[in-house]
Amino acid sequence: MKQCAHGRWDYEADIIIIGFGGAGGCAAIEAHNAGSEVILLEKQPEESHYSNTRMSGGGYHSPDPSGDRKALKAYAQAMFSGENIPWKFEGEQPEFSEGLAEMWAQYAPQNAAFMCSLDPDYVASPAGEAAYPDLPGAKESGYRNCNSTYSPDGVIVNFWGLPKSPKNKKEAGEAFHACILHGVTGREIPVHYNTRAMKLLKNDDEEIIGVQAEHSGRAVFYRARKAVIITSGGFEYNKALRSAFLDGYAVDGWAFYGTPANTGDGIIMGLEVGAALSKVGSAAARLIGSFPEVRTDGIRMGIAIVSIGRPGAIVVDNSGVRFCDERDVTRDPIRYISYRHALAFDVHQAIFPRTPSWFILDEAHRTQWHMTTTNATEYFGIPWSEDNHEPIEKGWILKADTIEALAEQIRLHPDNKGQMDTEQLAASVRRFNEFCAHGADKDYGRDFESMGPIVKPPFYALPLFPGGPNTKGGLKANEKRQVVDWAGQVIPRLYSAGEISSVFKYLYQAGGNVAECIVCGRVAAINAVKEPSWI
């Protein structure tokens, strides 16, 4: 091994990649295909390696290659930054948005073909079009989504695909992860599991030349002959970063249902070498379930509640006031920006009255709809039965014979802090039931087909918090995915991709984070391998 400033280099390769999620895997495959030697560092053990990509729905954008490229670029720029939208006050990242949109127009149409090239058994099942039809370029761009499955006919049977199922039964994020893993292992790309990157290393020319990591309590040094690519995800499980960047009750007023391994390591390492940040507080988030007893390292874990917006249920604030069309929480494209409902601030009382909010439902809803998906329950052992009875038995979901008695239980709940108004909750339920009887939601215009009265006892309530799969802000990176400093200058030999440096700074279409894992992971590798060796 060669010497380094800290002693001997333990390992070296052309490209060192930090984080083995979708972005890291795609970057590693692309770099390997270009003839470069790659090492992937992953902080989780192999046997419990659950990235946000693996826990996702596995859908991603893959526009029609025959679509209008100029229109595709316009649509991408509108989502990424928005300065090409006539009524928008300013762009979110105007200095890079045109280049990022050009990158997207070139590479995003290749996404499905790239994935299918990794494993002949993988199926990219077409699903959905442009989620924002009024944005520039939406109609002509040929925009579309794909779902991930190993079903030969492309039909998704179990949307969340169980983590322990065999590959030929995997679907959604499990299928996407299995395909990427097949591509990595088939190329014999080394993955150093249980290895946490701790520090980026520089040479005398201020170039990033390696990574100091930790494995089993021992410092390990990796030399990168060409570049380091950070793909380590967001900061959902870092109290200090949440406190610094998330709005509202940032530490205990948010919950996420992605991997607890996302602790913002890459953001911290980037800051230490002078990296700029961009829209760090943005998230792919909505209102999700979370209970005081379900935590990791003291931080709330979340559970997606997918039956919100179904008949027999509404969402109210801490005092019992209904405040939105509940379909916002689960309907595309609104769902992953709907968390902003929960961050309304009452300037007179100096509180966030919708943190938490409360999902109010009746027995008909409880028995007809499975309230959550299998992702959090399967990955982390959170007990939740098909008919929703387990969380009720545990007391996570409150139960009462009348709405008035339910209001009292909510008021005594530690997350409500005595704010629930019994008369107000009863009035909100009565008003919604009247809307159901008369065929129109006069307050928020909810689709009548999704409505149904809350009348069959017993009645139930569970707390909802802003949150979701992941944060989206972090390191600032250009269209080559080079990380830049606060002056906009490139930090030599440092690249980034994925949620840690998401391109979706203004609007988000479901599947965007997985899509940018492919596009930005590949682009980061394409440019990183062009770097001359510094040795």
Side-chain angles (χ1 to χ4, degrees), residues 116 137 177 183 213 296 324 330 352 396 417 458 471 482 501 511:
C116 291
H177 171 76
T296 181
C324 72
T330 49
F352 290 90
W396 297 350
K417 303 186 186 303
T471 57
Q482 295 167 304
S501 55

Side-chain angles (χ1 to χ4, degrees), residues 383-468:
W384 201 293
S385 55
E386 187 74 23
D387 63 359
N388 309 302
H389 78 269
E390 281 192 82
I392 297 171
E393 291 175 355
K394 287 183 170 293
W396 297 350
I397 296 178
L398 307 180
K399 176 182 178 181
D401 290 330
T402 67
I403 292 296
E404 290 76 11
L406 187 66
E408 178 62 22
Q409 288 200 39
I410 296 172
R411 186 163 48 251
L412 296 174
H413 191 283
D415 288 334
N416 182 254
K417 303 186 186 303
Q419 297 177 72
M420 180 54 65
D421 183 318
T422 299
E423 292 183 3
Q424 178 59 66
L425 179 61
S428 293
V429 172
R430 283 197 304 271
R431 184 169 176 81
F432 180 76
N433 288 347
E434 290 171 2
F435 292 160
C436 293
H438 291 93
D441 178 2
K442 295 181 180 180
D443 287 340
Y444 301 107
R446 179 168 158 183
D447 295 337
F448 181 67
E449 292 76 13
S450 74
M451 296 170 63
I454 303 167
V455 293
K456 184 176 182 180
F459 303 97
Y460 304 90
L462 65 149
L464 302 173
F465 288 82

Side-chain angles (χ1 to χ4, degrees), residues 270-305:
L271 284 171
E272 289 174 346
V273 298
L277 301 179
S278 180
K279 302 292 180 183
V280 189
S282 62
R286 45 185 170 175
L287 284 167
I288 66 171
S290 182
F291 311 104
E293 300 87 347
V294 183
R295 295 175 182 262
T296 181
D297 296 328
I299 297 177
R300 290 181 183 273
M301 298 186 73
I303 299 175
I305 305 298

Side-chain angles (χ1 to χ4, degrees), residues 329-347:
V329 180
T330 49
R331 177 178 55 199
D332 284 329
I334 300 169
R335 58 174 169 154
Y336 283 125
I337 57 175
S338 65
Y339 71 97
R340 297 181 184 276
H341 280 311
L343 299 177
F345 186 70
D346 186 325
V347 297

Side-chain angles (χ1 to χ4, degrees), residues 74-352:
Y75 186 69
Q77 188 173 16
M79 288 193 295
F80 296 169
S81 189
E83 66 266 21
N84 60 335
I85 301 174
W87 46 259
K88 194 169 188 298
F89 189 76
E90 64 183 24
E92 304 296 320
Q93 47 184 339
E95 66 273 57
F96 295 139
S97 68
E98 186 170 352
L100 292 171
E102 181 62 41
M103 170 198 75
W104 200 259
Q106 179 178 353
Y107 289 99
Q110 303 174 19
N111 283 350
F114 175 81
M115 291 298 297
C116 291
S117 74
L118 304 182
D119 187 344
D121 296 326
Y122 170 85
V123 177
S125 177
E129 299 175 345
Y132 298 98
D134 296 328
L135 289 185
K139 294 180 177 63
E140 301 81 18
S141 65
Y143 220 80
R144 67 182 184 191
N145 280 14
C146 287
N147 286 331
S148 298
T149 181
Y150 276 87
S151 171
D153 58 8
V155 176
I156 305 294
V157 179
N158 172 19
F159 184 72
W160 289 100
L162 303 181
K164 295 181 181 179
S165 61
K167 192 178 80 168
N168 65 350
K169 299 292 185 182
K170 288 188 181 297
E171 297 175 351
E174 278 290 323
F176 189 95
H177 171 76
C179 183
I180 295 292
L181 184 63
H182 186 87
V184 168
T185 56
R187 289 163 174 77
E188 298 183 347
I189 297 171
V191 182
H192 291 199
Y193 289 100
N194 203 27
T195 302
R196 181 174 186 172
M198 305 296 290
K199 184 178 182 180
L200 297 170
L201 304 177
K202 293 182 177 182
N203 62 15
D204 292 338
D205 295 325
E206 295 295 301
E207 299 174 310
I208 304 302
I209 62 167
V211 178
Q212 178 182 335
E214 183 179 88
H215 177 79
S216 299
R218 180 176 68 89
V220 186
F221 295 92
Y222 291 83
R223 178 159 70 174
R225 292 186 288 263
K226 292 189 173 184
V228 172
I229 304 176
I230 302 180
T231 62
S232 54
F235 60 94
E236 299 90 80
Y237 286 86
N238 184 306
K239 289 183 179 180
L241 292 181
R242 285 169 66 138
S243 181
F245 298 117
L246 293 182
D247 196 7
Y249 305 127
V251 175
D252 208 35
W254 284 71
F256 289 91
Y257 53 79
T259 174
N262 278 11
T263 53
D265 299 0
I267 295 174
I268 294 171
M269 285 185 284
L271 284 171
E272 289 174 346
V273 298
L277 301 179
S278 180
K279 302 292 180 183
V280 189
S282 62
R286 45 185 170 175
L287 284 167
I288 66 171
S290 182
F291 311 104
E293 300 87 347
V294 183
R295 295 175 182 262
T296 181
D297 296 328
I299 297 177
R300 290 181 183 273
M301 298 186 73
I303 299 175
I305 305 298
V306 297
S307 68
I308 296 174
R310 298 288 191 179
I314 58 173
V315 174
V316 300
D317 69 9
N318 260 322
S319 64
V321 176
R322 183 170 174 248
F323 57 85
C324 72
D325 173 357
E326 288 80 4
R327 289 282 288 138
D328 289 354
V329 180
T330 49
R331 177 178 55 199
D332 284 329
I334 300 169
R335 58 174 169 154
Y336 283 125
I337 57 175
S338 65
Y339 71 97
R340 297 181 184 276
H341 280 311
L343 299 177
F345 186 70
D346 186 325
V347 297
H348 298 288
Q349 299 187 62
I351 60 172
F352 290 90

